[in-house]
């Protein structure tokens, strides 16, 4: 039956609260941890770097050296003005896009093909292929062009107008030859391209000039024919006809005015004749004869009046005068009638003249319309002929200029750097590649080291352990090198009279648990771990051996019935009886006597392994044994089996006051520690704290303990 004392009974926090605290804890970047990872895995990192460097060295030994020749051409922006003649193809308007286009031209298979043909590279040994004799010449040329393209690099030099041409080959002389030939062919191609374009332009201009010459002749002939036909049909030109029309219009206006005046006079005379007779008409018309007759009648009438009183009416003289007056009156009437007839005739003549002029004007207007239409067509023909003649003259002038240019063409680029055969290979750059390989190998090894650390996520520091378990870390136990070589290293360590680092750490742990705790010391303390091999047995034995040194009686009870380390480490020949036999009921409590070690350690352990340890630990006899030991000793240290995989530790915990969870530094994964702690919490096992064991100097936790030189 489990017996506990309230003064040192500790109620563990609930699992939910522990999880909440772990989730709330903030992970911080620990540079010291990174340094510790690098220190722990330095051989792995160095091995990774060495392997990569060795692999690169082997690859470099099999690589053939290549040589790079370099030449430069610059796009020339300066203009040579031999004449003011405009070129057929303009010079380059240098810009970034133009430079990019020229780079593409330099890398084109057409230009490289010219280099291949000029140097006859298909027959060069550097481009020889196995079985190339069976290939057609065109296929060998294509393959050679591709191989040259693969070794060719064309780039713009900074922000200048210069273009760098670099070619790599196994033969330094061949590299320089190909680079220089490519630059020369590029410049020659520019000149040849301009010359070909000029010749094509000349041929086109000549052909076009022939067509334009015929067109000019046809246009001129059409103008001559139209003018002749117009002159033949109309008899005069448009200008003469227009002047004649103006004259006719003026004459028409004058004639119309004369006709109007004559009609008015005639109408006045006619109306007066109808109303007052001829005598009244005679006073409004005028003529020389009528005036003479009127004067003569006045004279005769005056003479008649003078003689009338003297001679009388029947006097012959008077009769003669009357006859004379009558004759004058008849003559005046005849003259008046004649004048009236003349006036009517003038009206008729003016009317006929006006009609004739109107008809003539209509005829002239029709002729003028025809002349205007002919003039419009003539102007159109003249404009067409002028335009054709202008184009002909321009083409003739351009043909003359182009013929003058055909023998003088300048390239748009020039060579500024001539490639020379390099003395040293440019590739492979062995030192650089080995350095890069070393950096890559070390980087890969470092990344792999941190990846493995991230995947394993093991406990390296007390702060990590504190966050996971939400329990205080009671102490840190250093790693002992003899642990690997001898199984009885613990016995030698406990038997030492001097204060070793290991025993100092155990003494500090003892003081933390039993001396400095304000709630009192535990009577029965169980020491367990998540897995086997984490140092729980050595820690439990060390505490049991350290307590008697401070006048505290203690006994080590090993209840790891499946795999007891205590009986292997200590020579338990002085122990009477086996714990497993006692729990199995084969012996009684009086026959079970502990072993007393010379250095003051009292041990009670199973002397054989069993498979039904859970059944034995669940028996009532275990409680009786612990109660007896509780009464006899101040502290009972129980070395319990691991918590995970088996339930032995949980069964033993029913008889303990507190539990100490041991975790191996740099070895135990975090998830297993968390699982073990949660399992203890779920079983309501009071965990007094944790201990980080086997702390090496390369671990992060070592910074918390290796601060004092015990030598």
């Amino acid at each position: 039956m489990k017996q506990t004392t309230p003064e040192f009974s500790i109620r563990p926090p609930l699992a939910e609260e522990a999880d909440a605290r772990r989730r709330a804890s903030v992970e911080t970047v620990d540079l010291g941890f990174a340094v510790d990872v690098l220190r722990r895995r330095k051989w792995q990192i160095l091995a990774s770097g060495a392997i990569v460097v060795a692999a690169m060295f082997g690859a470099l030994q099999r690589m053939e050296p290549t040589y790079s020749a370099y030449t430069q051409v610059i796009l020339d922006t300066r203009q040579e003005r031999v004449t003011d003649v405009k070129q057929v193809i303009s010079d380059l308007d240098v810009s970034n896009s133009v430079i990019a286009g020229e780079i593409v031209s330099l890398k084109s298979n057409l230009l490289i093909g010219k280099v291949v043909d000029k140097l006859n590279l298909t027959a060069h040994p550097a481009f020889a292929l196995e079985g190339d004799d069976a290939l057609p010449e065109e296929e060998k040329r294509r393959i050679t062009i591709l191989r040259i393209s693969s070794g060719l690099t064309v780039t713009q030099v900074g922000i200048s107008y210069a273009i760098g041409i670099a070619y790599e080959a196994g033969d330094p002389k061949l590299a320089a030859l190909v680079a220089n030939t490519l630059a020369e062919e590029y410049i020659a191609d520019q000149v040849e391209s301009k010359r070909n374009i000029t010749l094509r332009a000349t041929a086109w201009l000549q052909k076009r000039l022939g067509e334009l010459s015929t067109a000019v002749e046809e246009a001129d002939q059409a103008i001559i024919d139209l003018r002749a036909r117009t002159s033949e049909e109309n008899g005069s030109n448009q200008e003469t006809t227009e002047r004649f029309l103006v004259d006719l219009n003026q004459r028409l206006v004058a004639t119309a005015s004369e006709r109007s005046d004559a009609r008015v006079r005639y109408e006045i005379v006619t109306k007066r004749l109808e109303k007052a007779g001829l005598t009244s008409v005679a006073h409004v018309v005028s003529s020389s004869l009528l005036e003479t007759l009127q004067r003569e009648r006045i004279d005769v009438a005056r003479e008649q009046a003078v003689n009338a009183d003297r001679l009388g009416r029947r006097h012959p003289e008077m009769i003669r005068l009357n006859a004379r007056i009558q004759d004058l009156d008849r003559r005046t009437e005849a003259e008046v009638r004649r004048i009236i007839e003349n006036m009517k005739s003038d009206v008729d003549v003016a009317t006929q003249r006006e009609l004739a002029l109107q008809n003539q004007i209509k005829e002239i207007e029709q002729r003028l319309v025809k002349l205007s239409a002919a003039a419009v067509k003539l102007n159109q023909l003249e404009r067409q002929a002028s335009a054709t003649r202008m184009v002909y003259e321009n083409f003739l002038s351009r043909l003359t200029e182009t013929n003058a240019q055909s023998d003088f063409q300048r390239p748009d680029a020039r060579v500024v750097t001539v490639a020379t055969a390099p003395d040293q290979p440019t590739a492979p750059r062995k030192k650089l590649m080995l350095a890069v390989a070393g950096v890559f190998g070390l980087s890969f090894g470092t990344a792999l080291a941190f990846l493995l650390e991230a995947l394993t996520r093991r406990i390296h520091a007390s702060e990590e352990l504190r966050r996971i378990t939400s329990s205080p870390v009671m102490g840190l136990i250093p790693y002992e090198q003899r642990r690997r070589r001898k199984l009885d290293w613990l016995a030698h360590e406990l038997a030492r009279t001097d204060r070793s680092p290991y025993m100092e750490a155990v003494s500090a742990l003892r003081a933390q648990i039993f001396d400095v705790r304000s709630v009192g010391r535990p009577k029965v303390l169980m020491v367990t771990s998540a897995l086997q091999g984490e140092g729980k047995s050595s820690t439990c034995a060390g505490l049991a051996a350290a307590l008697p040194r401070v006048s505290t009686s203690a006994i080590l009870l090993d209840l790891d019935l499946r795999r007891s380390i205590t009986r292997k480490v200590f020579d338990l020949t002085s122990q009477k009886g086996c714990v497993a036999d006692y729990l199995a009921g084969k012996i009684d409590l009086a026959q079970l006597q502990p072993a007393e070690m010379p250095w003051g350690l009292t041990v009670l352990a199973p002397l054989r392994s069993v498979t039904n340890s859970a059944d034995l630990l669940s028996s009532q006899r275990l409680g009786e044994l612990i109660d007896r030991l509780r009464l006899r000793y101040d502290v009972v240290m129980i070395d319990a089996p691991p918590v995970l995989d088996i339930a032995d530790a949980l069964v033993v915990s029913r008889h303990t006051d507190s539990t100490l969870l041991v975790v191996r530094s740099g070895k135990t994964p975090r998830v297993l520690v968390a699982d073990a702690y949660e399992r203890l919490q779920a079983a309501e096992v009071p965990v007094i704290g944790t201990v980080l064991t086997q702390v090496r100097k390369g671990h992060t936790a070592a910074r918390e303990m290796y601060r004092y030189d015990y030598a």
Side-chain angles (χ1 to χ4, degrees), residues 255 258-259 262-263 341-357:
T255 303
E258 291 176 1
R259 178 190 59 77
R263 182 176 291 280
E341 288 296 329
N342 288 339
M343 292 177 67
K344 181 180 180 182
S345 178
D346 291 342
V347 171
D348 293 338
V349 170
T351 301
Q352 292 298 325
R353 189 183 300 116
E354 184 179 6
L355 290 174
L357 286 173

Side-chain angles (χ1 to χ4, degrees), residues 219-239:
D220 291 341
Q221 187 62 41
I223 293 172
I224 294 172
D225 293 343
L226 181 60
R227 284 177 177 173
R229 187 167 59 253
T230 303
S231 178
E232 182 180 354
E233 292 177 354
N234 300 288
S236 62
N237 57 21
Q238 184 177 1
E239 184 178 358

Side-chain angles (χ1 to χ4, degrees), residues 304-358:
Q304 184 183 18
V306 170
N307 294 325
D309 293 335
R310 186 175 64 84
L311 297 178
R313 287 186 299 175
R314 293 190 181 276
H315 188 278
E317 185 62 25
M318 291 297 291
I319 292 172
R320 185 186 65 79
L321 289 172
N322 286 334
R324 180 65 179 166
I325 289 173
Q326 289 177 358
D327 181 58
L328 288 172
D329 288 339
R330 286 193 301 271
R331 291 178 63 185
T332 298
E333 182 180 358
E335 181 64 18
V336 169
R337 289 186 181 280
R338 187 188 64 78
I339 290 173
I340 292 173
E341 288 296 329
N342 288 339
M343 292 177 67
K344 181 180 180 182
S345 178
D346 291 342
V347 171
D348 293 338
V349 170
T351 301
Q352 292 298 325
R353 189 183 300 116
E354 184 179 6
L355 290 174
L357 286 173
Q358 289 177 350

Side-chain angles (χ1 to χ4, degrees), residues 355-420:
L355 290 174
L357 286 173
Q358 289 177 350
N359 292 332
Q360 192 174 5
I361 287 174
K362 288 181 180 180
E363 182 182 353
I364 295 302
E365 286 178 346
Q366 291 176 357
R367 185 188 303 172
L368 187 60
V369 169
K370 293 180 180 180
L371 287 173
S372 298
V376 171
K377 187 173 182 181
L378 182 63
N379 290 336
Q380 183 178 2
L381 291 176
E382 288 177 347
R383 286 195 300 271
Q384 291 178 352
S386 177
T388 305
R389 188 176 294 105
M390 185 181 298
V391 174
Y392 173 79
E393 292 173 355
N394 290 336
F395 273 60
L396 183 60
S397 175
R398 190 58 179 158
L399 176 61
T400 304
E401 295 175 355
T402 305
N403 285 329
Q405 293 179 24
S406 59
D407 295 331
F408 178 75
Q409 296 293 339
R410 57 176 296 275
D412 295 321
R414 56 191 174 89
V415 177
V416 293
T417 302
V418 179
T420 58

Side-chain angles (χ1 to χ4, degrees), residues 111-417:
L111 190 61
I112 297 175
K114 292 182 179 180
V115 175
V116 172
D117 297 337
K118 182 176 182 179
L119 300 179
N120 193 21
L121 295 180
T122 55
H124 196 280
F127 297 96
L129 298 173
E130 295 182 2
D132 59 352
D133 296 336
L135 294 175
E137 192 65 27
E138 191 65 27
E139 183 65 16
K140 289 194 289 186
R141 182 177 182 274
R142 186 187 68 82
I143 295 174
T144 304
I145 291 174
L146 291 177
R147 294 180 65 182
I148 292 178
S149 298
S150 63
L152 182 65
T153 303
V154 183
T155 56
Q156 181 182 3
V157 181
I159 59 173
S160 67
Y161 295 152
I163 299 176
I165 304 172
Y167 179 68
E168 292 184 353
D171 185 358
K173 294 182 179 180
L174 177 63
L177 181 62
V178 170
N180 289 328
T181 305
L182 182 62
E184 294 170 0
E185 286 299 317
Y186 167 67
I187 295 175
D189 181 71
Q190 286 186 341
V191 176
E192 185 66 22
S193 176
K194 287 188 175 183
R195 182 179 292 111
N196 291 336
I197 292 174
T198 303
L199 293 176
R200 287 197 300 270
T202 301
W204 182 81
L205 286 172
Q206 290 175 346
K207 180 181 178 182
R208 186 61 179 152
L209 277 173
E211 298 174 354
L212 290 173
S213 177
T214 303
V216 170
E217 293 177 359
E218 292 176 352
D220 291 341
Q221 187 62 41
I223 293 172
I224 294 172
D225 293 343
L226 181 60
R227 284 177 177 173
R229 187 167 59 253
T230 303
S231 178
E232 182 180 354
E233 292 177 354
N234 300 288
S236 62
N237 57 21
Q238 184 177 1
E239 184 178 358
T240 303
T241 305
E242 288 177 349
R243 288 199 298 269
F244 185 47
L245 179 62
V246 171
D247 182 59
L248 289 177
N249 284 324
Q250 292 175 353
R251 290 167 60 187
L252 177 62
V253 171
T255 303
S257 178
E258 291 176 1
R259 178 190 59 77
S260 179
D261 293 343
R263 182 176 291 280
V264 170
R265 290 195 300 269
Y266 175 73
E267 290 178 352
I268 292 172
V269 171
T270 303
K271 290 179 180 179
R272 195 174 186 87
L273 178 63
E274 292 176 353
K275 291 180 179 181
L278 290 173
T279 305
S280 63
V281 173
H283 295 290
V284 297
V285 297
S286 63
S287 70
S288 58
L289 178 60
L290 186 61
E291 291 176 356
T292 301
L293 291 175
Q294 286 178 348
R295 284 194 304 269
E296 187 176 351
R297 188 180 184 283
I298 291 171
D299 293 339
V300 174
R302 184 182 304 114
E303 185 179 356
Q304 184 183 18
V306 170
N307 294 325
D309 293 335
R310 186 175 64 84
L311 297 178
R313 287 186 299 175
R314 293 190 181 276
H315 188 278
E317 185 62 25
M318 291 297 291
I319 292 172
R320 185 186 65 79
L321 289 172
N322 286 334
R324 180 65 179 166
I325 289 173
Q326 289 177 358
D327 181 58
L328 288 172
D329 288 339
R330 286 193 301 271
R331 291 178 63 185
T332 298
E333 182 180 358
E335 181 64 18
V336 169
R337 289 186 181 280
R338 187 188 64 78
I339 290 173
I340 292 173
E341 288 296 329
N342 288 339
M343 292 177 67
K344 181 180 180 182
S345 178
D346 291 342
V347 171
D348 293 338
V349 170
T351 301
Q352 292 298 325
R353 189 183 300 116
E354 184 179 6
L355 290 174
L357 286 173
Q358 289 177 350
N359 292 332
Q360 192 174 5
I361 287 174
K362 288 181 180 180
E363 182 182 353
I364 295 302
E365 286 178 346
Q366 291 176 357
R367 185 188 303 172
L368 187 60
V369 169
K370 293 180 180 180
L371 287 173
S372 298
V376 171
K377 187 173 182 181
L378 182 63
N379 290 336
Q380 183 178 2
L381 291 176
E382 288 177 347
R383 286 195 300 271
Q384 291 178 352
S386 177
T388 305
R389 188 176 294 105
M390 185 181 298
V391 174
Y392 173 79
E393 292 173 355
N394 290 336
F395 273 60
L396 183 60
S397 175
R398 190 58 179 158
L399 176 61
T400 304
E401 295 175 355
T402 305
N403 285 329
Q405 293 179 24
S406 59
D407 295 331
F408 178 75
Q409 296 293 339
R410 57 176 296 275
D412 295 321
R414 56 191 174 89
V415 177
V416 293
T417 302

